[in-house]
Amino acid sequence: MKKICTFNSRKYSVYLQCYTEKYHLLFLASGNDLIVFSLEQLTIIHTLKNFGHVEEMVLTKSEDYIVLSVAKEGDFYDCYQLNLVEIEKEINYEFVGQVIGNQSFALSLYKFENSVLLAMKDKIVLYDCEERKIISEVPEKFPSNIVVKLSEDVDSDLIYVQYVSGYNVISRSYMLKNNSFQRTNIEKMEYTTHYSKTGNLRIIHYLEPRDKKKPEFIIENIQEKKKVEFYSEGGIIWNFKLSLSEKYLWITKNIADKRNQFGTMCGLLLRTDSTNVNQLGVDSVSFNEFNFDEHLNYMTTNDYQLDRSKYFSRLAIYKVEESDKLNIEFSKISTKKLPKIRVDDTGCKDYWI
């Protein structure tokens, strides 16, 4: 595997906050700066100095818009939207409002390709980035400490909300159908379902803790009426994303490790028609993000480096060749059997930002 470049900072960590396969762009955050890097050109195309500390970024299903949260003092963060259609010429962002301060502040939906489910101050809304307006909102007010989960279906979507009130965990559930939210009585969410952009693939993800007899997740091909089940002994999937071609799924998974109380983070690239792992990214310390550009064959990761007893994150970009591809059964992935990844860093360019 060829290491193309790294991004480093002497003052702050460099995080990969978002990646769009459609436009081949990486969005990096370091301190209060937001950097846009083109994988096609292998160059920085925009730098927003003193933009603010970006906590999370979420793509719409169309990949034409991003919503992001910027940390502020207090319980709520500022939310902005970015238009990606003309971003190579100029970067335009617009204030949306205040949102909750966790990663579930925004969730994309396949039936609303330019919209997101947005957990704003006191309310949850369906927000249209193209029209720049709220389409609908949940008819109930919420505190700032909510966690929102989404499970999609063909005709409707389930929104599951939890928060702590005193010593109690309160749960609420709603159905989103015909652009309207309706209260339901789902007491517990055991799994979530998500669809590809075309709606042809469905991913069923069983949430932890789960019955080990059940698969960790399932990929269903609706048109071909086929499904692939992925089993494992444990670990937590932090994120997953389908390639635009729907041939690949890449996930970031935490694998239990007796040598590390936090486990080992691995980036796994899977074909959607097989349980074999085609590519794996693993570091001696940890990964917190993993992405693969199918068109350019670039793998991008955030890897942590230990420096003077402090963790600093830096971004690394690798060129994946045919000889780098693996053939490991998903259920066999463990810290004892992780293959040695050979990296050629000759000519690697280091960006200091």
Side-chain angles (χ1 to χ4, degrees):
M1 190 180 301
K2 179 75 172 178
K3 182 179 280 190
I4 303 300
C5 64
T6 64
F7 292 89
N8 311 267
S9 173
R10 293 182 176 88
K11 292 183 178 181
Y12 308 103
S13 290
V14 181
Y15 295 104
L16 174 59
Q17 291 286 13
C18 191
Y19 156 75
T20 164
E21 186 183 7
K22 181 176 181 178
Y23 296 102
H24 309 291
L25 297 175
L26 306 176
F27 291 82
L28 320 178
S30 181
N32 289 322
D33 298 342
L34 181 62
I35 300 101
V36 185
F37 183 82
S38 169
L39 276 180
E40 283 189 310
Q41 303 173 36
L42 290 177
T43 188
I44 295 174
I45 62 172
H46 296 295
T47 300
L48 293 179
K49 291 286 188 181
N50 299 315
F51 179 77
H53 185 79
V54 177
E55 284 289 328
E56 303 287 343
M57 302 183 78
V58 175
L59 274 168
T60 59
K61 279 291 183 180
S62 67
E63 297 201 5
D64 287 336
Y65 300 93
I66 288 176
V67 290
L68 59 91
S69 62
V70 177
K72 297 289 183 181
E73 292 185 4
D75 296 330
F76 298 99
Y77 293 172
D78 286 347
C79 178
Y80 297 85
Q81 73 170 60
L82 299 177
N83 187 333
L84 304 186
V85 178
E86 300 291 335
I87 195 169
E88 290 202 13
K89 296 180 182 178
E90 59 179 343
I91 184 167
N92 293 315
Y93 58 92
E94 183 175 344
F95 181 71
V96 175
Q98 289 191 307
V99 293
I100 62 173
N102 65 51
Q103 63 182 7
S104 68
F105 87 97
L107 301 168
S108 59
L109 309 93
Y110 94 98
K111 289 192 292 294
F112 303 90
E113 65 172 9
N114 289 318
S115 300
V116 290
L117 190 69
L118 204 60
M120 303 187 72
K121 185 177 181 179
D122 300 332
K123 59 185 178 181
I124 298 173
V125 304
L126 180 63
Y127 177 78
D128 189 318
C129 295
E130 184 177 29
E131 298 293 331
R132 301 192 298 278
K133 67 178 184 180
I134 294 173
I135 301 175
S136 180
E137 65 180 78
V138 173
E140 189 170 348
K141 303 299 181 182
F142 298 97
S144 63
N145 62 338
I146 63 172
V147 174
V148 184
K149 296 178 181 178
L150 169 69
S151 186
E152 299 177 299
D153 209 338
V154 175
D155 297 322
S156 60
D157 301 314
L158 172 65
I159 291 88
Y160 190 74
V161 183
Q162 285 186 310
Y163 60 91
V164 176
S165 178
Y167 295 99
N168 301 314
V169 177
I170 309 298
S171 299
R172 296 284 187 267
S173 59
Y174 306 88
M175 296 300 294
L176 173 59
K177 188 174 183 179
N178 299 326
N179 293 357
S180 178
F181 293 95
Q182 300 173 3
R183 180 75 181 271
T184 63
N185 294 311
I186 306 297
E187 295 183 359
K188 184 179 180 181
M189 180 177 278
E190 296 183 355
Y191 63 87
T192 62
T193 58
H194 301 277
Y195 285 79
S196 63
K197 183 180 178 181
T198 63
N200 186 46
L201 293 184
R202 177 169 55 191
I203 300 175
I204 303 173
H205 178 212
Y206 287 90
L207 305 176
E208 299 292 341
R210 63 182 169 86
D211 184 348
K212 300 307 178 184
K213 295 180 180 179
K214 293 182 179 180
E216 190 165 12
F217 64 96
I218 300 171
I219 300 178
E220 293 183 344
N221 188 310
I222 297 171
Q223 185 175 2
E224 298 180 3
K225 297 181 179 179
K226 295 180 180 179
K227 67 178 181 179
V228 182
E229 298 182 343
F230 295 82
Y231 289 85
S232 74
E233 291 300 318
I236 299 174
I237 294 179
W238 286 98
N239 60 5
F240 55 85
K241 185 178 179 182
L242 282 164
S243 66
L244 294 181
S245 71
E246 301 184 1
K247 293 180 181 178
Y248 294 99
L249 174 76
W250 55 90
I251 67 176
T252 303
K253 179 179 171 65
N254 183 284
I255 300 175
D257 189 343
K258 294 180 179 180
R259 299 165 299 177
N260 184 348
Q261 63 175 327
F262 301 108
T264 296
M265 296 296 286
C266 292
L268 306 176
L269 178 67
L270 312 167
R271 285 191 63 90
T272 54
D273 59 359
S274 168
T275 58
N276 286 342
V277 177
N278 281 168
Q279 187 57 57
L280 179 146
V282 61
D283 186 73
S284 58
V285 184
S286 180
F287 279 112
N288 78 336
E289 188 76 53
F290 173 83
N291 285 294
F292 177 72
D293 191 301
E294 181 184 353
H295 176 71
L296 299 174
N297 278 331
Y298 283 136
M299 182 177 78
T300 61
T301 68
N302 261 350
D303 62 305
Y304 287 95
Q305 302 297 316
L306 191 60
D307 183 14
R308 295 182 181 178
S309 300
K310 293 182 180 179
Y311 284 103
F312 288 91
S313 176
R314 67 178 186 182
L315 178 69
I317 299 175
Y318 299 88
K319 181 75 171 180
V320 179
E321 305 294 345
E322 190 67 28
S323 59
D324 296 320
K325 292 187 177 179
L326 308 174
N327 189 22
I328 304 174
E329 177 70 23
F330 177 79
S331 62
K332 303 298 183 184
I333 291 291
S334 70
T335 54
K336 295 180 180 179
K337 298 179 181 179
L338 290 175
K340 180 70 174 179
I341 305 297
R342 296 183 178 181
V343 176
D344 176 12
D345 59 4
T346 305
C348 174
K349 183 174 182 179
D350 293 322
Y351 289 91
W352 290 89
I353 55 180

